[in-house]
Amino acid sequence: MSERRLRVGLVSEPTGIDDPYSRGGYLGLERAVRELGIKGRVLTPAPKEGYVPSLSLLARQKYDLVIGTGGFAAPAIDRVSTGFPETRFAIIDFAHDDLAHRPKNVVGLVFREEQAGYLAGHLAALVLTLSSGEEVVSSVGGQRVPAVERFIAGYQAGARGANSRVTTLNSYTDDFLDPVKGRSVALSQIAKGSRVVFQVAGVCGLGALEAAKERGIWGIGVDVDQSHLGRHILTSAVKRMDVAVFDTIEELVRGTLETGRTSRFSLRNGGVGLGTISAGVPRSLKAEIEDVRAEIVAGRIPMAISVT
C-alpha cells in the first residue's frame, strides 16, 4: 500500500491565475506538485460568491493544506478555518494576528514589500541622472491595502535615500482591475514631471506602464517580473509568492509546518527583491543597488512602512 499523497488546495483571487498577483501562488503550487509529489488543485471563485464556498469545499474534502490568496480572502479564511479546526490553512498577504479569531490552524504568509520597494525607488532616483529633466518619480497604487502601502512607502524612502532632492508623487486608483484608470493617473503624474512610474495596482497598473511606454519614460512592474512588457520596464519590485507557497508546502511535506503564527518573507530569505534590471542601466548603478541590498539585509537601513 503506497503512502497517501498530500493534497494542497489553492483558492485564487476571482481574477484567476492569469492575474500577475494570483499567478505567483499558482507557480509555487505547480512547483510543489512537480518537485514534492503532492496533489494540487486550484479553485477560482466567481466574483459574486466570495471565497467561503471554495475554501469550505476543499476543507470538506479533507485537503491537508488550504491556501487563500490576498487580504480580501482573510475574513473567509477566518470563518472557514474556525469551522474546520482539523484542517490547516495558509493565507497569502495577511498576518495571523490580524485575523479576527486568530485561529490556531492558520499560518499567515506576509512579505517585506517595503524592502523591494526601497530598491526600486533607489534605482528610480539613480536613473534620473542618465538624462535631463525634472527630479520627479511617481507611484500608482490600487486600493490602500497594507501590502500596497508598504511597497509605496519603501519606494519613496529609497528614492530619497538616493537623492534627497527628488520629488515623489503618489496617487491611488482605488481599483486593481481597470487599466484605463491606471493609465490616466500615470499620464497626470508624467505631466507633472515624473520620469519613472511604479505601478502597484495589479491589472489596473498595466495601464500605468502603458502610459510610461507612450511617453518614453521608465516604468517599474510589481509582484512578478514584468520585464517582458517591453524595453521601457526599468525593473520590477517582486514579491515571491511562489517561494512563500512552495516553502510552506515543503514544511507540510517534512512535517515541520507550524500554524497559529506568521511566516515573513524578505530580502534575506529570497521572498522579495528586484526582477530583471533593464540592459540600459549602467553596471555602476547596478553595483550600487547590490550594495544597498546588502545594507538592508544587514539591517543598516531603517525601513519606512507608511506612505508620506
Side-chain angles (χ1 to χ4, degrees), residues 74-124:
I77 284 269
D78 188 58
R79 189 173 134 193
V80 177
S81 62
T82 306
F84 292 91
E86 300 303 305
T87 302
R88 288 189 280 187
F89 294 83
I91 176 145
I92 297 171
D93 259 353
F94 211 80
H96 170 264
D97 286 358
D98 292 341
L99 293 168
H101 297 94
R102 299 188 179 180
K104 289 188 169 61
N105 54 330
V106 180
V107 59
L109 310 178
V110 303
F111 300 83
R112 299 289 306 272
E113 290 94 352
E114 68 279 6
Q115 295 183 342
Y118 192 100
L119 292 179
H122 199 96
L123 182 60

